[in-house]
Amino acid sequence: MKPAHSTRPGYLEQSPAVKARFDKIKQREVILEVRNLGKRFVTAQGEVDALRDINFSIHRRELVCVIGPSGCGKSTLIRILAGLENHTSGVALLDGKPIDGPGQDRGMVFQGYSLFPWLTVKKNVMFGPEMKGHGWEQAEREANLWLELVGLSKFSDAYPHQLSGGMRQRVAIARALVNEPRILLMDEPFGALDAQTRAKMQSHLMEIWRNIDVTILFITHDLDEAIYLADRILVLKPNPGEVHELIEVPVPRPRSPAQFSSPEFLATKARLEELIHPAAKAEKNEAEEEQNGTPHLIRFTNVNDNVE
Amino acid sequence: MSAISRQLNKLMNADSSIRTLYGVASFLLPLLIWCLVSYTPFIWHPKVLITDVGGVDYFQVGMLVDKEMFASEMANMSVALQPLPAGTPANPIYLPAPHEVAQALYNGFANPPKQADTPSMPASIWHSIQIIFWGFLISSVIGVPLGIISGTYNRVGRLNEPFIEFFRYLPAPAFGALAVAVLGIYDGPKIAIIVIGTLFQQVLIIANTTRKLETTIIEAAKTLGTRNFRLLTRVVVPGILPDLYRDQRILLGWAWTYLIVAELIGTSTGITWFITQQARYQHFDNVYAGIMVIGIIGFGTDLLLAKLGKRLFPWDRTQDKS
């Protein structure tokens, strides 16, 4: 490490290639702009700010991850952007137009299985084009194309319940992308998958993103996933949900799992850990646990019947 | 993939054949008990069927007398040195043996009734089926859409459900006299009773089923550009269809339970009239046959509808568990 850089934290250091790439991204037009966005809930205990004063913008073909501890309002944020919830202050602009209700210009992939169980895989994907008023044949053609892209052509006549979790999420991605949305909103889409499937889906998603003109906003609680996928990471903090930091990920592209141990990756991860699990808080949690005491176990087996 | 599904199918088939076995056994057990009581002379048989009157002047061949009375007459006759009466143990007339009921069931369909003023079994049943059909159809035409709309739009639900909740506690037969006054004495009031008995439950059950539809599915449809009425027709209705179908099967069963009460209102008709007439002539074998026919038709339709449901909704997984 050069001494000139030693004063700056590692995650802010960018290689020339990475810096050039970020400069290029910033040249592109802004797809999504969020200004002073706030969401206030009225509960029995009074008013609660789920989100306060959120500001950020996403450029075309950027992949931005949103991360934060539970209760930081990341799901609320993406649901507001999808138009499924209302915000109480500020604006969210898609291509300069304020977001008002759900629409086909924003695709959404949910964590749970949101596929229509009564429709086959192909008809699930055809649903969007049909809503748009495309004829059956055109819708079918589009669906076939996208199923090919996510590698599920063979399963086009299967019902969702016959597919594995990973396959279902691939269908959900195809179903959202077939509408050619300006932005793809993904709400912890791989959260319910096992580690192996999850890794496969991550590379699969990047493959899609590389080949298609689509901007992605991806919510996750997995730090590795965020660093692996994102150009920038929006870190939120809870109570009220506010932007903690917007980090430019210094890990060069194309990404591969080999980079998980690269210095840029580790520096970024260290920073995220610091933001999400502050040391002071961790100590406090430990103290709390100490106070509550470890569970006191009574022996239910014979004294001589040892497992270790 | 296909190998796994084949294995799974095999497993399921083995499971279903065992289930069928248990299903058959559940019918055979009560039948076995009935046979035991009917054909084993030392089990129950509180009566004696006279085969020879002996010296007892008021006995007649074919008469059923109490066991105690027969025993005391036997004692009397042996004291009086008169010829002894003879008889076989028998059950009361209201418990015919299985073969007699089977015979009556066959006769009911094969031969016309003996008495001129009694209705034939097929005609009675056909009339009852029509009452059920119209009652259930009218109830469903109102209840299904109202239930779906109440379940989808909270405001509609809140506006009608409290009243319906109240109304469903009013016993349908209580409206019998009113129904006759309004609709006459023939089929009108009978259909009305079935409608009253079914409709209110139907709205509540279907509204509840509609509410149980996964919100993610509706939200996903919204992000795919579905709006308003199409959300109802393209997402809500197909989404709840298998459950709606199951609800309708259960409700059809309830409609049958209202049948007998309904048919007693105004002029008695249908299978109810058949049963009451046969009971009046003490043809209890026919009474049992009539009751059984209701069961057979009701249960048979449900089995058929269940089979049809599996065909209609291949994506429905909940029915694998039933």
Side-chain angles (χ1 to χ4, degrees):
Chain A
M1 220 176 266
K2 285 180 207 163
H5 287 156
S6 61
T7 48
R8 301 175 65 194
Y11 78 98
L12 289 176
E13 257 179 54
Q14 291 175 357
S15 67
V18 170
K19 194 166 177 350
R21 187 164 178 278
F22 274 116
D23 289 339
K24 220 171 89 191
I25 288 175
K26 283 166 201 161
Q27 299 287 309
R28 298 199 200 119
E29 79 253 40
V30 171
I31 296 281
L32 181 78
E33 191 179 357
V34 173
R35 258 191 261 142
N36 307 324
L37 191 80
K39 167 88 180 176
R40 179 167 285 187
F41 285 111
V42 181
T43 66
Q45 283 83 39
E47 292 188 339
V48 178
D49 276 322
L51 291 172
R52 186 196 282 172
D53 225 6
I54 306 282
N55 284 291
F56 68 94
S57 50
I58 299 179
H59 299 264
R60 191 174 69 81
R61 291 197 74 186
E62 208 181 356
L63 203 166
V64 173
C65 282
V66 182
I67 204 164
S70 54
C72 69
K74 50 189 193 288
S75 263
T76 311
L77 175 65
I78 207 163
R79 288 172 58 80
I80 289 171
L81 297 178
L84 295 171
E85 268 181 50
N86 297 320
H87 50 277
T88 43
S89 58
V91 275
L93 304 167
L94 185 80
D95 290 323
K97 288 181 293 267
I99 287 170
D100 178 29
Q104 291 202 323
D105 48 3
R106 284 147 291 140
M108 177 102 166
V109 178
F110 298 82
Q111 174 176 15
Y113 302 131
S114 60
L115 297 180
F116 305 127
W118 63 93
L119 295 179
T120 59
V121 165
K122 184 162 76 186
K123 285 182 184 160
N124 259 285
V125 182
M126 283 166 68
F127 191 87
E130 280 186 63
M131 286 297 129
K132 227 189 259 179
H134 292 183
W136 177 273
E137 272 172 40
Q138 194 188 345
E140 193 178 20
R141 223 177 310 124
E142 290 173 52
N144 285 337
L145 182 78
W146 286 92
L147 283 175
E148 178 94 53
L149 193 100
V150 295
L152 288 176
S153 296
K154 265 197 273 174
F155 296 90
S156 59
D157 291 324
Y159 283 103
H161 75 86
Q162 295 168 304
L163 304 183
S164 70
M167 286 155 102
R168 284 184 219 184
Q169 288 306 66
R170 268 146 74 187
V171 178
I173 292 170
R175 187 178 67 170
L177 288 178
V178 72
N179 291 327
E180 292 172 31
R182 296 294 286 161
I183 189 164
L184 183 63
L185 305 167
M186 304 183 85
D187 187 1
E188 301 202 29
F190 309 147
L193 304 177
D194 62 90
Q196 211 180 347
T197 315
R198 198 179 175 129
K200 261 191 216 154
M201 289 298 290
Q202 288 165 354
S203 4
H204 191 71
L205 177 68
M206 281 208 283
E207 194 62 35
I208 291 172
W209 173 67
R210 218 172 285 144
N211 291 305
I212 289 157
D213 180 2
V214 67
T215 310
I216 298 177
L217 183 71
F218 189 106
I219 286 192
T220 178
H221 60 259
D222 181 333
L223 306 185
D224 290 323
E225 185 170 69
I227 303 165
Y228 182 52
L229 293 176
D231 288 316
R232 288 187 296 158
I233 301 175
L234 182 73
V235 186
L236 297 182
K237 65 178 175 198
N239 311 318
E242 284 179 318
V243 176
H244 218 342
E245 191 171 344
L246 189 54
I247 294 173
E248 294 183 346
V249 179
V251 183
R253 286 192 189 269
R255 304 254 168 93
S256 74
Q259 290 166 311
F260 275 91
S261 50
S262 73
E264 304 94 349
F265 196 102
L266 294 175
T268 313
K269 191 170 177 184
R271 176 60 182 164
L272 289 178
E273 296 266 20
E274 195 181 310
L275 290 173
I276 291 172
H277 313 290
K281 213 177 165 192
E283 262 167 43
K284 199 181 125 203
N285 280 346
E286 248 167 57
E288 244 170 57
E289 220 160 274
E290 199 86 3
Q291 224 172 26
N292 295 335
T294 43
H296 190 75
L297 267 185
I298 299 161
R299 182 139 186 162
F300 284 106
T301 60
N302 190 295
V303 210
N304 298 316
D305 188 11
N306 290 320
V307 278
E308 283 178 334
Chain B
M1 180 83 192
S2 67
I4 293 172
S5 73
R6 227 178 298 131
Q7 279 295 320
L8 214 70
N9 268 341
K10 223 196 243 170
L11 214 77
M12 298 280 281
N13 283 341
D15 191 44
S16 83
S17 68
I18 288 173
R19 202 186 303 164
T20 313
L21 212 68
Y22 274 97
V24 171
S26 85
F27 280 88
L28 288 180
L29 272 173
L31 188 65
L32 186 72
I33 294 170
W34 187 16
C35 285
L36 277 175
V37 173
S38 298
Y39 300 132
T40 329
F42 53 85
I43 295 179
W44 202 34
H45 288 76
K47 300 271 183 179
V48 174
L49 180 69
I50 307 295
T51 51
D52 181 359
V53 294
V56 189
D57 47 6
Y58 66 92
F59 276 10
Q60 284 171 6
V61 174
M63 192 180 185
L64 277 179
V65 294
D66 287 340
K67 232 183 208 166
E68 294 76 26
M69 189 192 277
F70 186 78
S72 78
E73 288 299 341
M74 280 282 267
N76 290 344
M77 289 306 114
S78 63
V79 170
L81 297 172
Q82 293 272 336
L84 294 177
T88 51
N91 277 327
I93 190 156
Y94 57 79
L95 187 74
H99 76 272
E100 292 171 308
V101 174
Q103 185 70 39
L105 203 58
Y106 172 77
N107 267 343
F109 283 96
N111 306 319
K114 276 180 242 160
Q115 286 83 11
D117 64 334
T118 53
S120 82
M121 184 127 84
S124 316
I125 286 161
W126 179 235
H127 193 264
S128 293
I129 289 174
Q130 282 173 304
I131 298 284
I132 289 279
F133 174 81
W134 289 110
F136 193 67
L137 184 75
I138 292 169
S139 173
S140 297
V141 163
I142 308 166
V144 173
L146 189 59
I148 292 174
I149 290 169
S150 300
T152 311
Y153 305 109
N154 278 334
R155 279 181 213 170
V156 181
R158 282 188 202 125
L159 190 63
N160 67 43
E161 278 174 41
F163 175 74
I164 290 174
E165 197 79 62
F166 158 75
F167 206 98
R168 82 185 168 117
Y169 282 99
L170 310 182
F175 292 88
L178 191 65
V180 168
V182 177
L183 297 165
I185 55 167
Y186 299 107
D187 290 348
K190 301 173 177 64
I191 293 170
I193 293 303
I194 293 193
V195 172
I196 293 171
T198 316
L199 176 63
F200 299 96
Q201 319 278 357
Q202 196 168 28
V203 175
L204 295 178
I205 287 179
I206 290 173
N208 216 21
T209 296
T210 310
R211 280 190 203 102
K212 274 191 279 182
L213 181 65
E214 205 84 44
T215 32
T216 321
I217 283 180
I218 293 173
E219 287 180 347
K222 281 183 182 168
T223 63
L224 293 170
T226 323
R227 292 274 171 288
N228 310 327
F229 191 63
R230 279 214 286 190
L231 205 56
L232 201 69
T233 56
R234 295 290 304 268
V235 183
V236 175
V237 172
I240 63 165
L241 213 52
D243 288 321
L244 180 73
Y245 185 81
R246 253 191 295 279
D247 289 346
Q248 287 289 82
R249 269 171 54 200
I250 294 169
L251 286 157
L252 183 60
W254 286 2
W256 274 98
T257 64
Y258 281 107
L259 179 71
I260 298 294
V261 178
E263 284 184 334
L264 283 173
I265 288 163
T267 56
S268 185
T269 57
I271 195 73
T272 311
W273 190 37
F274 175 85
I275 290 172
T276 44
Q277 280 300 94
Q278 294 301 329
R280 199 164 292 159
Y281 290 115
Q282 299 221 322
H283 293 158
F284 286 101
D285 45 353
N286 285 334
V287 171
Y288 280 83
I291 293 171
M292 263 176 199
V293 164
I294 300 179
I296 291 166
I297 291 178
F299 185 62
T301 355
D302 193 63
L303 279 184
L304 222 68
L305 289 175
K307 276 256 158 66
L308 187 68
K310 275 194 180 166
R311 278 273 171 91
L312 287 175
F313 314 114
W315 70 87
D316 182 32
R317 289 170 78 204
T318 41
Q319 59 190 7
D320 297 345
K321 292 177 209 146
S322 61

